[in-house]
Amino acid sequence: MRGRSYSPSPPPRYSRRGGGGGGRSPSPRRRYAPRESDLPTSLLVRNLRHDCRPEDLRRPFGQFGPLKDIYLPKDYYTGQPRGFGFIQFVDPADAADAKYHMDGQVLLGRELTVVFAEENRKKPTEMRVRERSGRYSDRRRTPPRYSRSPRYSRSPPRHRTHSRSRDYDSPPPKRREYSRSLSPEDRRHSRERSHPSRERSYSRSPPPNNGDARSRSPSPEKGPVLSRSPSPNRDAREPARSRSPSQ
DNA sequence: GTTGAGCGTT
C-alpha cells in the first residue's frame, strides 16, 4: 500500500514536456515551446494540515529556489483551510525540483502531495461567476458539503492567509453606501438615533446572497439612466425662450 | 501594477 515507487532516475530537470497539470496532458496544440515561461511555476500542494501556514511551507519549499508567492485558499464562507495550497516559484526549474523532492514528504505529520498547478489563479470575480452557474448549480449557493456548518453563520473571513504585510482585509464585496453628504460624526450621530439598538454588527456584508435574497439591487427604483432629471427650474417652462429678459 | 474566493479538501 505504501509502495510509492520512487522514480529511479532523478528529475529530468524538465525537458520541455512540462508535465504541466500534474502529469496530465497539457495541451494538444502545444508546438515548439522552448520558452521557459511556458513551464508552470505554481505548485499545488495537497494534504496540508489545516493549521498549516504559509511560513511552514516557505521554509521547505524555499530551499529549492526563491518563492514568488504562497497562498492557502480557504473556504470563503467558513474560513476553514481547505487543506491545500499553492506555491509559486520564480523559476520553473525550481518548482520542478521542489515538486519532485517535496512530493511525498511529510510536513507536520502529513504526507504532502505536490503537483503542478493546472490553471492560473482564479480571481474572486471568476469564482463568483462559478458559483452562479458552475460547481453548484443550485440557485442556493450551497457551499461545499465538506464545509458547511449552520453554526458558522455567515461570518466573512477576516482572516489573512497571507502573512505578508498586505492588507487583504476586504474580501466580500464592498459596496459604497452611506450618504456622501454626511460627515463621519454626523453619520454616527444619525446612526445612533436611527438604530439605537442595532448591534455593532455592521462590520461588513458577508457574502452576498442571503439564502434567498433575490433583490440584490439596493435601490433599483433610482434609475439614473432613465429620464434625466427634470428641470431644476420648475418655473422655467421654456428654458431657451423666456430665460433672458433681454434679447 | 494586478489578481487572495486558486483546481486536488473527507
Side-chain angles (χ1 to χ4, degrees), chain A residues 219-234:
Chain A
S219 53
E221 38 214 65
K222 231 119 209 203
V225 288
L226 251 146
S227 338
R228 212 34 169 159
S229 65
S231 326
N233 272 354
R234 211 183 278 248

Side-chain angles (χ1 to χ4, degrees), chain A residues 227-244:
Chain A
S227 338
R228 212 34 169 159
S229 65
S231 326
N233 272 354
R234 211 183 278 248
D235 292 334
R237 241 147 177 193
E238 301 191 19
R241 195 101 158 127
S242 50
R243 192 65 175 288
S244 309

Side-chain angles (χ1 to χ4, degrees), chain A residues 177 191-203:
Chain A
E177 22 192 275
R191 185 162 68 74
E192 277 185 8
R193 286 177 54 152
S194 218
H195 304 278
S197 31
R198 185 93 157 186
E199 283 184 3
R200 48 220 162 172
S201 58
Y202 64 90
S203 50

Side-chain angles (χ1 to χ4, degrees), chain A residues 34-172:
Chain A
R35 306 169 44 138
E36 290 185 2
S37 3
D38 198 33
L39 301 175
T41 55
S42 294
L43 299 179
L44 168 65
V45 184
R46 263 180 62 213
N47 201 25
L48 284 177
R49 237 176 117 148
H50 282 167
D51 55 354
C52 181
R53 298 177 308 184
E55 299 110 53
D56 298 327
L57 296 170
R58 170 164 259 170
R59 248 167 304 178
F61 280 87
Q63 299 177 103
F64 305 97
L67 303 180
K68 197 174 179 190
D69 197 14
I70 299 177
Y71 181 54
L72 272 42
K74 291 193 192 170
D75 185 277
Y76 185 50
Y77 302 103
T78 66
Q80 284 185 25
R82 299 173 75 177
F84 66 95
F86 293 95
I87 300 180
Q88 186 168 30
F89 280 83
V90 175
D91 191 335
D94 292 335
D97 211 12
K99 171 189 174 300
Y100 176 79
H101 286 285
M102 291 305 296
D103 186 19
Q105 289 299 322
V106 177
L107 179 66
L108 299 172
R110 284 212 175 189
E111 193 179 327
L112 303 183
T113 304
V114 185
V115 298
F116 287 110
E118 286 184 10
E119 280 222 12
N120 290 329
R121 58 177 306 121
K122 244 125 203 138
K123 307 198 256 211
T125 342
E126 276 197 44
M127 291 248 68
R128 208 191 290 167
V129 174
R130 266 183 155 207
E131 289 192 8
R132 271 194 186 174
S133 119
R135 213 160 168 181
Y136 338 106
S137 8
D138 286 348
R139 45 189 73 175
R140 261 178 93 168
R141 65 145 221 288
T142 302
R145 272 162 220 207
Y146 37 73
S147 71
R148 215 301 185 111
S149 256
R151 61 151 98 36
Y152 268 114
S153 213
R154 287 174 207 112
S155 276
R158 65 159 119 257
H159 59 286
R160 225 179 266 154
T161 27
H162 234 161
S163 310
R164 270 172 174 189
S165 317
R166 224 137 173 203
D167 285 348
Y168 302 124
D169 207 11
S170 29

